[in-house]
Amino acid sequence: MVDFHGRNIKNSSLTAIMIPLAGALGAICAYIERNLADPDLGPYQLCKQFNCSRATLYRMFDSLGGISNYIRKLRLQRCYGALRRASGKAKITEVAMEWGFGNLSHFTRLFRATYGCAPSEVRESSAEAAFTTTTRRSSHLWAPHYQQWLESH
């Protein structure tokens, strides 16, 4: 067995190494969450911030699909959520930029590959859902009056 620096270790010292490594991974993930909107967030910035080598960082995130993939996935999730809550009002470019995507066509390709639809489709479907919900709610308010009006005429 080897440690995250590639040195051979004994099983007795495995626990001593794995606990700090897990703690470091948690700290890095928390940092990523707090800085997700920063377009410069990536391996270089993380290595500087946490004083670790690029190889160590990559090994830590290997089980999560890699560091760049991890950041990309979180950003796409935030964009999806923002578009769902936007009710058709948000500009896709603004949402993408807000979460660290600098290129709209690149963002759209990644979004479509991840969710199977365009960002505009998510935004429009949330707008339609909001309209339907509002219409249903308001129809409950005027339905009795409409029914009375029909009966009186």
Side-chain angles (χ1 to χ4, degrees), residues 9-54:
I9 59 172
K10 298 177 184 170
N11 286 341
S12 61
S13 52
L14 179 61
T15 304
I17 290 170
M18 294 307 282
I19 290 173
L21 187 59
L25 180 62
I28 294 171
C29 288
Y31 180 86
I32 290 169
E33 288 278 345
R34 288 190 310 272
N35 295 280
L36 204 52
D38 180 358
D40 295 327
L41 180 66
Y44 177 76
Q45 183 180 350
L46 294 169
C47 289
K48 274 182 66 174
Q49 179 68 30
F50 290 93
N51 194 29
C52 68
S53 72
R54 191 174 175 92

mmCIF file of all heavy atoms in Angstrom, residues 9-54:
data_model
loop_
_atom_site.group_PDB
_atom_site.id
_atom_site.type_symbol
_atom_site.label_atom_id
_atom_site.label_comp_id
_atom_site.label_asym_id
_atom_site.label_seq_id
_atom_site.Cartn_x
_atom_site.Cartn_y
_atom_site.Cartn_z
ATOM 1 N N ILE A 9 3.744 2.190 2.691
ATOM 2 C CA ILE A 9 3.346 2.328 4.091
ATOM 3 C C ILE A 9 2.934 0.976 4.643
ATOM 4 O O ILE A 9 2.571 0.067 3.905
ATOM 5 C CB ILE A 9 2.180 3.331 4.250
ATOM 6 C CG1 ILE A 9 0.965 2.881 3.431
ATOM 7 C CG2 ILE A 9 2.605 4.723 3.886
ATOM 8 C CD1 ILE A 9 -0.266 3.690 3.686
ATOM 9 N N LYS A 10 2.977 0.875 5.947
ATOM 10 C CA LYS A 10 2.513 -0.333 6.627
ATOM 11 C C LYS A 10 1.039 -0.164 6.933
ATOM 12 O O LYS A 10 0.540 0.955 7.071
ATOM 13 C CB LYS A 10 3.296 -0.535 7.928
ATOM 14 C CG LYS A 10 4.776 -0.727 7.698
ATOM 15 C CD LYS A 10 5.472 -0.839 9.027
ATOM 16 C CE LYS A 10 6.979 -0.923 8.802
ATOM 17 N NZ LYS A 10 7.719 -0.793 10.034
ATOM 18 N N ASN A 11 0.315 -1.243 7.064
ATOM 19 C CA ASN A 11 -1.108 -1.178 7.368
ATOM 20 C C ASN A 11 -1.393 -0.416 8.653
ATOM 21 O O ASN A 11 -2.407 0.242 8.775
ATOM 22 C CB ASN A 11 -1.716 -2.578 7.447
ATOM 23 C CG ASN A 11 -1.863 -3.193 6.074
ATOM 24 O OD1 ASN A 11 -1.859 -2.487 5.069
ATOM 25 N ND2 ASN A 11 -1.969 -4.498 6.023
ATOM 26 N N SER A 12 -0.505 -0.500 9.643
ATOM 27 C CA SER A 12 -0.732 0.181 10.912
ATOM 28 C C SER A 12 -0.728 1.702 10.741
ATOM 29 O O SER A 12 -1.398 2.417 11.463
ATOM 30 C CB SER A 12 0.318 -0.232 11.946
ATOM 31 O OG SER A 12 1.600 0.133 11.486
ATOM 32 N N SER A 13 -0.001 2.194 9.774
ATOM 33 C CA SER A 13 0.039 3.643 9.577
ATOM 34 C C SER A 13 -0.993 4.113 8.540
ATOM 35 O O SER A 13 -1.119 5.296 8.291
ATOM 36 C CB SER A 13 1.440 4.090 9.183
ATOM 37 O OG SER A 13 1.901 3.342 8.094
ATOM 38 N N LEU A 14 -1.768 3.188 7.984
ATOM 39 C CA LEU A 14 -2.783 3.541 7.001
ATOM 40 C C LEU A 14 -3.823 4.472 7.605
ATOM 41 O O LEU A 14 -4.179 5.486 7.004
ATOM 42 C CB LEU A 14 -3.450 2.275 6.451
ATOM 43 C CG LEU A 14 -4.561 2.482 5.428
ATOM 44 C CD1 LEU A 14 -3.980 3.192 4.201
ATOM 45 C CD2 LEU A 14 -5.168 1.171 5.042
ATOM 46 N N THR A 15 -4.292 4.176 8.782
ATOM 47 C CA THR A 15 -5.305 5.003 9.422
ATOM 48 C C THR A 15 -4.777 6.406 9.665
ATOM 49 O O THR A 15 -5.487 7.390 9.463
ATOM 50 C CB THR A 15 -5.757 4.375 10.756
ATOM 51 O OG1 THR A 15 -6.200 3.049 10.488
ATOM 52 C CG2 THR A 15 -6.883 5.162 11.378
ATOM 53 N N ALA A 16 -3.541 6.526 10.069
ATOM 54 C CA ALA A 16 -2.956 7.830 10.343
ATOM 55 C C ALA A 16 -2.890 8.698 9.089
ATOM 56 O O ALA A 16 -2.950 9.917 9.166
ATOM 57 C CB ALA A 16 -1.561 7.667 10.931
ATOM 58 N N ILE A 17 -2.803 8.082 7.931
ATOM 59 C CA ILE A 17 -2.726 8.835 6.680
ATOM 60 C C ILE A 17 -4.115 9.088 6.114
ATOM 61 O O ILE A 17 -4.400 10.173 5.621
ATOM 62 C CB ILE A 17 -1.851 8.087 5.656
ATOM 63 C CG1 ILE A 17 -0.407 8.137 6.133
ATOM 64 C CG2 ILE A 17 -1.993 8.666 4.274
ATOM 65 C CD1 ILE A 17 0.510 7.246 5.365
ATOM 66 N N MET A 18 -5.006 8.113 6.173
ATOM 67 C CA MET A 18 -6.315 8.232 5.559
ATOM 68 C C MET A 18 -7.190 9.274 6.249
ATOM 69 O O MET A 18 -7.940 9.975 5.581
ATOM 70 C CB MET A 18 -7.029 6.874 5.538
ATOM 71 C CG MET A 18 -6.346 5.846 4.651
ATOM 72 S SD MET A 18 -6.055 6.419 2.971
ATOM 73 C CE MET A 18 -7.675 6.221 2.312
ATOM 74 N N ILE A 19 -7.103 9.412 7.557
ATOM 75 C CA ILE A 19 -7.932 10.384 8.261
ATOM 76 C C ILE A 19 -7.600 11.807 7.825
ATOM 77 O O ILE A 19 -8.490 12.561 7.454
ATOM 78 C CB ILE A 19 -7.846 10.189 9.789
ATOM 79 C CG1 ILE A 19 -8.552 8.895 10.147
ATOM 80 C CG2 ILE A 19 -8.461 11.373 10.525
ATOM 81 C CD1 ILE A 19 -8.402 8.475 11.583
ATOM 82 N N PRO A 20 -6.315 12.231 7.812
ATOM 83 C CA PRO A 20 -6.032 13.583 7.321
ATOM 84 C C PRO A 20 -6.402 13.775 5.857
ATOM 85 O O PRO A 20 -6.837 14.846 5.456
ATOM 86 C CB PRO A 20 -4.525 13.737 7.525
ATOM 87 C CG PRO A 20 -4.153 12.726 8.535
ATOM 88 C CD PRO A 20 -5.133 11.605 8.370
ATOM 89 N N LEU A 21 -6.245 12.731 5.057
ATOM 90 C CA LEU A 21 -6.583 12.827 3.649
ATOM 91 C C LEU A 21 -8.079 13.073 3.478
ATOM 92 O O LEU A 21 -8.488 13.925 2.692
ATOM 93 C CB LEU A 21 -6.162 11.545 2.919
ATOM 94 C CG LEU A 21 -6.284 11.548 1.405
ATOM 95 C CD1 LEU A 21 -5.437 12.652 0.804
ATOM 96 C CD2 LEU A 21 -5.869 10.207 0.850
ATOM 97 N N ALA A 22 -8.898 12.351 4.228
ATOM 98 C CA ALA A 22 -10.347 12.546 4.171
ATOM 99 C C ALA A 22 -10.712 13.940 4.654
ATOM 100 O O ALA A 22 -11.589 14.598 4.084
ATOM 101 C CB ALA A 22 -11.056 11.483 5.004
ATOM 102 N N GLY A 23 -10.037 14.412 5.696
ATOM 103 C CA GLY A 23 -10.281 15.766 6.186
ATOM 104 C C GLY A 23 -9.904 16.814 5.154
ATOM 105 O O GLY A 23 -10.601 17.810 4.979
ATOM 106 N N ALA A 24 -8.797 16.597 4.462
ATOM 107 C CA ALA A 24 -8.362 17.525 3.413
ATOM 108 C C ALA A 24 -9.362 17.537 2.263
ATOM 109 O O ALA A 24 -9.696 18.596 1.732
ATOM 110 C CB ALA A 24 -6.973 17.142 2.912
ATOM 111 N N LEU A 25 -9.867 16.380 1.886
ATOM 112 C CA LEU A 25 -10.860 16.301 0.817
ATOM 113 C C LEU A 25 -12.108 17.085 1.204
ATOM 114 O O LEU A 25 -12.644 17.853 0.402
ATOM 115 C CB LEU A 25 -11.208 14.845 0.508
ATOM 116 C CG LEU A 25 -12.233 14.623 -0.603
ATOM 117 C CD1 LEU A 25 -11.720 15.155 -1.937
ATOM 118 C CD2 LEU A 25 -12.573 13.147 -0.718
ATOM 119 N N GLY A 26 -12.545 16.914 2.438
ATOM 120 C CA GLY A 26 -13.714 17.662 2.914
ATOM 121 C C GLY A 26 -13.480 19.164 2.899
ATOM 122 O O GLY A 26 -14.352 19.939 2.504
ATOM 123 N N ALA A 27 -12.281 19.586 3.311
ATOM 124 C CA ALA A 27 -11.947 21.010 3.320
ATOM 125 C C ALA A 27 -11.905 21.565 1.898
ATOM 126 O O ALA A 27 -12.384 22.675 1.636
ATOM 127 C CB ALA A 27 -10.605 21.228 4.021
ATOM 128 N N ILE A 28 -11.356 20.799 0.984
ATOM 129 C CA ILE A 28 -11.279 21.244 -0.414
ATOM 130 C C ILE A 28 -12.676 21.320 -1.024
ATOM 131 O O ILE A 28 -13.002 22.290 -1.719
ATOM 132 C CB ILE A 28 -10.345 20.333 -1.236
ATOM 133 C CG1 ILE A 28 -8.906 20.476 -0.740
ATOM 134 C CG2 ILE A 28 -10.431 20.658 -2.722
ATOM 135 C CD1 ILE A 28 -7.930 19.472 -1.327
ATOM 136 N N CYS A 29 -13.509 20.334 -0.754
ATOM 137 C CA CYS A 29 -14.888 20.351 -1.264
ATOM 138 C C CYS A 29 -15.656 21.559 -0.724
ATOM 139 O O CYS A 29 -16.410 22.207 -1.463
ATOM 140 C CB CYS A 29 -15.613 19.058 -0.915
ATOM 141 S SG CYS A 29 -15.047 17.630 -1.862
ATOM 142 N N ALA A 30 -15.468 21.865 0.550
ATOM 143 C CA ALA A 30 -16.128 23.036 1.146
ATOM 144 C C ALA A 30 -15.639 24.324 0.485
ATOM 145 O O ALA A 30 -16.434 25.229 0.199
ATOM 146 C CB ALA A 30 -15.878 23.071 2.652
ATOM 147 N N TYR A 31 -14.351 24.396 0.222
ATOM 148 C CA TYR A 31 -13.775 25.562 -0.450
ATOM 149 C C TYR A 31 -14.360 25.699 -1.855
ATOM 150 O O TYR A 31 -14.704 26.804 -2.292
ATOM 151 C CB TYR A 31 -12.251 25.431 -0.508
ATOM 152 C CG TYR A 31 -11.567 26.585 -1.190
ATOM 153 C CD1 TYR A 31 -11.230 27.737 -0.480
ATOM 154 C CD2 TYR A 31 -11.253 26.535 -2.543
ATOM 155 C CE1 TYR A 31 -10.600 28.802 -1.105
ATOM 156 C CE2 TYR A 31 -10.630 27.593 -3.176
ATOM 157 C CZ TYR A 31 -10.307 28.727 -2.454
ATOM 158 O OH TYR A 31 -9.687 29.781 -3.072
ATOM 159 N N ILE A 32 -14.475 24.591 -2.552
ATOM 160 C CA ILE A 32 -15.053 24.599 -3.900
ATOM 161 C C ILE A 32 -16.483 25.128 -3.846
ATOM 162 O O ILE A 32 -16.877 25.969 -4.652
ATOM 163 C CB ILE A 32 -14.986 23.194 -4.541
ATOM 164 C CG1 ILE A 32 -13.535 22.834 -4.866
ATOM 165 C CG2 ILE A 32 -15.859 23.114 -5.799
ATOM 166 C CD1 ILE A 32 -13.324 21.374 -5.257
ATOM 167 N N GLU A 33 -17.272 24.646 -2.909
ATOM 168 C CA GLU A 33 -18.662 25.093 -2.760
ATOM 169 C C GLU A 33 -18.731 26.606 -2.555
ATOM 170 O O GLU A 33 -19.570 27.277 -3.141
ATOM 171 C CB GLU A 33 -19.333 24.392 -1.573
ATOM 172 C CG GLU A 33 -19.645 22.941 -1.808
ATOM 173 C CD GLU A 33 -20.932 22.716 -2.560
ATOM 174 O OE1 GLU A 33 -21.752 23.646 -2.678
ATOM 175 O OE2 GLU A 33 -21.123 21.598 -3.043
ATOM 176 N N ARG A 34 -17.843 27.132 -1.708
ATOM 177 C CA ARG A 34 -17.848 28.567 -1.409
ATOM 178 C C ARG A 34 -17.374 29.418 -2.588
ATOM 179 O O ARG A 34 -17.741 30.583 -2.680
ATOM 180 C CB ARG A 34 -16.967 28.871 -0.198
ATOM 181 C CG ARG A 34 -17.539 28.428 1.124
ATOM 182 C CD ARG A 34 -16.731 28.973 2.297
ATOM 183 N NE ARG A 34 -15.300 28.760 2.185
ATOM 184 C CZ ARG A 34 -14.648 27.677 2.608
ATOM 185 N NH1 ARG A 34 -15.318 26.692 3.170
ATOM 186 N NH2 ARG A 34 -13.333 27.565 2.471
ATOM 187 N N ASN A 35 -16.556 28.849 -3.451
ATOM 188 C CA ASN A 35 -15.943 29.614 -4.542
ATOM 189 C C ASN A 35 -16.371 29.146 -5.927
ATOM 190 O O ASN A 35 -15.695 29.426 -6.913
ATOM 191 C CB ASN A 35 -14.416 29.542 -4.419
ATOM 192 C CG ASN A 35 -13.944 30.225 -3.168
ATOM 193 O OD1 ASN A 35 -13.839 31.441 -3.116
ATOM 194 N ND2 ASN A 35 -13.667 29.442 -2.129
ATOM 195 N N LEU A 36 -17.478 28.473 -6.007
ATOM 196 C CA LEU A 36 -17.928 27.868 -7.258
ATOM 197 C C LEU A 36 -18.153 28.895 -8.373
ATOM 198 O O LEU A 36 -17.935 28.600 -9.544
ATOM 199 C CB LEU A 36 -19.215 27.081 -7.008
ATOM 200 C CG LEU A 36 -19.563 25.968 -7.946
ATOM 201 C CD1 LEU A 36 -18.423 24.987 -8.110
ATOM 202 C CD2 LEU A 36 -20.796 25.241 -7.459
ATOM 203 N N ALA A 37 -18.540 30.093 -8.022
ATOM 204 C CA ALA A 37 -18.813 31.118 -9.026
ATOM 205 C C ALA A 37 -17.539 31.724 -9.613
ATOM 206 O O ALA A 37 -17.596 32.397 -10.643
ATOM 207 C CB ALA A 37 -19.670 32.225 -8.418
ATOM 208 N N ASP A 38 -16.403 31.477 -8.996
ATOM 209 C CA ASP A 38 -15.134 32.015 -9.478
ATOM 210 C C ASP A 38 -14.724 31.282 -10.752
ATOM 211 O O ASP A 38 -14.450 30.081 -10.720
ATOM 212 C CB ASP A 38 -14.062 31.856 -8.403
ATOM 213 C CG ASP A 38 -12.700 32.386 -8.815
ATOM 214 O OD1 ASP A 38 -12.541 32.850 -9.963
ATOM 215 O OD2 ASP A 38 -11.781 32.329 -7.981
ATOM 216 N N PRO A 39 -14.659 31.975 -11.891
ATOM 217 C CA PRO A 39 -14.309 31.287 -13.136
ATOM 218 C C PRO A 39 -12.883 30.728 -13.137
ATOM 219 O O PRO A 39 -12.568 29.841 -13.930
ATOM 220 C CB PRO A 39 -14.476 32.350 -14.219
ATOM 221 C CG PRO A 39 -14.536 33.650 -13.510
ATOM 222 C CD PRO A 39 -14.940 33.384 -12.095
ATOM 223 N N ASP A 40 -12.023 31.225 -12.254
ATOM 224 C CA ASP A 40 -10.641 30.736 -12.178
ATOM 225 C C ASP A 40 -10.485 29.536 -11.247
ATOM 226 O O ASP A 40 -9.373 29.015 -11.100
ATOM 227 C CB ASP A 40 -9.710 31.860 -11.711
ATOM 228 C CG ASP A 40 -9.643 32.989 -12.723
ATOM 229 O OD1 ASP A 40 -9.744 32.702 -13.935
ATOM 230 O OD2 ASP A 40 -9.508 34.152 -12.307
ATOM 231 N N LEU A 41 -11.575 29.102 -10.637
ATOM 232 C CA LEU A 41 -11.505 27.948 -9.738
ATOM 233 C C LEU A 41 -11.114 26.708 -10.535
ATOM 234 O O LEU A 41 -11.751 26.366 -11.526
ATOM 235 C CB LEU A 41 -12.854 27.719 -9.057
ATOM 236 C CG LEU A 41 -12.930 26.548 -8.080
ATOM 237 C CD1 LEU A 41 -12.024 26.807 -6.866
ATOM 238 C CD2 LEU A 41 -14.363 26.331 -7.626
ATOM 239 N N GLY A 42 -10.051 26.066 -10.107
ATOM 240 C CA GLY A 42 -9.569 24.880 -10.794
ATOM 241 C C GLY A 42 -8.394 24.287 -10.044
ATOM 242 O O GLY A 42 -8.048 24.732 -8.943
ATOM 243 N N PRO A 43 -7.771 23.282 -10.621
ATOM 244 C CA PRO A 43 -6.667 22.598 -9.944
ATOM 245 C C PRO A 43 -5.537 23.530 -9.499
ATOM 246 O O PRO A 43 -5.037 23.402 -8.377
ATOM 247 C CB PRO A 43 -6.165 21.595 -10.987
ATOM 248 C CG PRO A 43 -7.349 21.342 -11.848
ATOM 249 C CD PRO A 43 -8.105 22.631 -11.884
ATOM 250 N N TYR A 44 -5.153 24.469 -10.339
ATOM 251 C CA TYR A 44 -4.040 25.353 -9.983
ATOM 252 C C TYR A 44 -4.354 26.159 -8.724
ATOM 253 O O TYR A 44 -3.555 26.218 -7.789
ATOM 254 C CB TYR A 44 -3.720 26.298 -11.150
ATOM 255 C CG TYR A 44 -2.622 27.284 -10.831
ATOM 256 C CD1 TYR A 44 -1.288 26.883 -10.817
ATOM 257 C CD2 TYR A 44 -2.919 28.606 -10.519
ATOM 258 C CE1 TYR A 44 -0.275 27.771 -10.498
ATOM 259 C CE2 TYR A 44 -1.919 29.502 -10.204
ATOM 260 C CZ TYR A 44 -0.594 29.085 -10.190
ATOM 261 O OH TYR A 44 0.396 29.972 -9.874
ATOM 262 N N GLN A 45 -5.531 26.773 -8.699
ATOM 263 C CA GLN A 45 -5.943 27.571 -7.538
ATOM 264 C C GLN A 45 -6.054 26.707 -6.283
ATOM 265 O O GLN A 45 -5.647 27.122 -5.200
ATOM 266 C CB GLN A 45 -7.275 28.266 -7.824
ATOM 267 C CG GLN A 45 -7.750 29.169 -6.704
ATOM 268 C CD GLN A 45 -9.075 29.830 -7.033
ATOM 269 O OE1 GLN A 45 -9.568 29.779 -8.152
ATOM 270 N NE2 GLN A 45 -9.662 30.466 -6.048
ATOM 271 N N LEU A 46 -6.593 25.508 -6.419
ATOM 272 C CA LEU A 46 -6.753 24.617 -5.265
ATOM 273 C C LEU A 46 -5.405 24.156 -4.723
ATOM 274 O O LEU A 46 -5.214 24.083 -3.509
ATOM 275 C CB LEU A 46 -7.631 23.423 -5.634
ATOM 276 C CG LEU A 46 -9.087 23.774 -5.949
ATOM 277 C CD1 LEU A 46 -9.803 22.580 -6.552
ATOM 278 C CD2 LEU A 46 -9.810 24.273 -4.706
ATOM 279 N N CYS A 47 -4.472 23.838 -5.617
ATOM 280 C CA CYS A 47 -3.137 23.422 -5.172
ATOM 281 C C CYS A 47 -2.452 24.546 -4.402
ATOM 282 O O CYS A 47 -1.814 24.301 -3.373
ATOM 283 C CB CYS A 47 -2.273 23.004 -6.366
ATOM 284 S SG CYS A 47 -2.789 21.445 -7.100
ATOM 285 N N LYS A 48 -2.594 25.771 -4.881
ATOM 286 C CA LYS A 48 -2.017 26.914 -4.181
ATOM 287 C C LYS A 48 -2.685 27.116 -2.825
ATOM 288 O O LYS A 48 -2.022 27.317 -1.817
ATOM 289 C CB LYS A 48 -2.183 28.190 -5.015
ATOM 290 C CG LYS A 48 -1.089 28.417 -6.024
ATOM 291 C CD LYS A 48 -1.276 29.709 -6.773
ATOM 292 C CE LYS A 48 -1.127 30.891 -5.822
ATOM 293 N NZ LYS A 48 -1.160 32.189 -6.519
ATOM 294 N N GLN A 49 -3.996 27.060 -2.804
ATOM 295 C CA GLN A 49 -4.755 27.310 -1.579
ATOM 296 C C GLN A 49 -4.459 26.263 -0.510
ATOM 297 O O GLN A 49 -4.360 26.591 0.673
ATOM 298 C CB GLN A 49 -6.257 27.325 -1.896
ATOM 299 C CG GLN A 49 -7.155 27.543 -0.707
ATOM 300 C CD GLN A 49 -7.050 28.939 -0.124
ATOM 301 O OE1 GLN A 49 -6.767 29.897 -0.835
ATOM 302 N NE2 GLN A 49 -7.257 29.054 1.168
ATOM 303 N N PHE A 50 -4.333 25.003 -0.907
ATOM 304 C CA PHE A 50 -4.171 23.916 0.058
ATOM 305 C C PHE A 50 -2.751 23.367 0.111
ATOM 306 O O PHE A 50 -2.510 22.353 0.774
ATOM 307 C CB PHE A 50 -5.186 22.808 -0.231
ATOM 308 C CG PHE A 50 -6.587 23.243 0.086
ATOM 309 C CD1 PHE A 50 -7.396 23.807 -0.886
ATOM 310 C CD2 PHE A 50 -7.072 23.143 1.376
ATOM 311 C CE1 PHE A 50 -8.673 24.243 -0.589
ATOM 312 C CE2 PHE A 50 -8.344 23.572 1.686
ATOM 313 C CZ PHE A 50 -9.154 24.137 0.705
ATOM 314 N N ASN A 51 -1.851 24.022 -0.584
ATOM 315 C CA ASN A 51 -0.439 23.658 -0.535
ATOM 316 C C ASN A 51 -0.222 22.156 -0.778
ATOM 317 O O ASN A 51 0.400 21.461 0.023
ATOM 318 C CB ASN A 51 0.180 24.092 0.803
ATOM 319 C CG ASN A 51 1.688 24.053 0.760
ATOM 320 O OD1 ASN A 51 2.283 24.235 -0.296
ATOM 321 N ND2 ASN A 51 2.298 23.804 1.896
ATOM 322 N N CYS A 52 -0.786 21.686 -1.870
ATOM 323 C CA CYS A 52 -0.605 20.275 -2.220
ATOM 324 C C CYS A 52 -0.203 20.183 -3.693
ATOM 325 O O CYS A 52 -0.412 21.118 -4.463
ATOM 326 C CB CYS A 52 -1.875 19.466 -1.946
ATOM 327 S SG CYS A 52 -3.270 19.844 -3.016
ATOM 328 N N SER A 53 0.356 19.077 -4.048
ATOM 329 C CA SER A 53 0.769 18.901 -5.440
ATOM 330 C C SER A 53 -0.447 18.605 -6.312
ATOM 331 O O SER A 53 -1.486 18.150 -5.836
ATOM 332 C CB SER A 53 1.770 17.754 -5.554
ATOM 333 O OG SER A 53 1.120 16.518 -5.367
ATOM 334 N N ARG A 54 -0.288 18.834 -7.580
ATOM 335 C CA ARG A 54 -1.343 18.549 -8.553
ATOM 336 C C ARG A 54 -1.675 17.051 -8.544
ATOM 337 O O ARG A 54 -2.838 16.666 -8.590
ATOM 338 C CB ARG A 54 -0.859 19.006 -9.924
ATOM 339 C CG ARG A 54 -1.891 19.034 -10.983
ATOM 340 C CD ARG A 54 -1.278 19.652 -12.254
ATOM 341 N NE ARG A 54 -2.188 19.611 -13.352
ATOM 342 C CZ ARG A 54 -3.026 20.582 -13.663
ATOM 343 N NH1 ARG A 54 -3.049 21.677 -12.961
ATOM 344 N NH2 ARG A 54 -3.834 20.453 -14.686
#
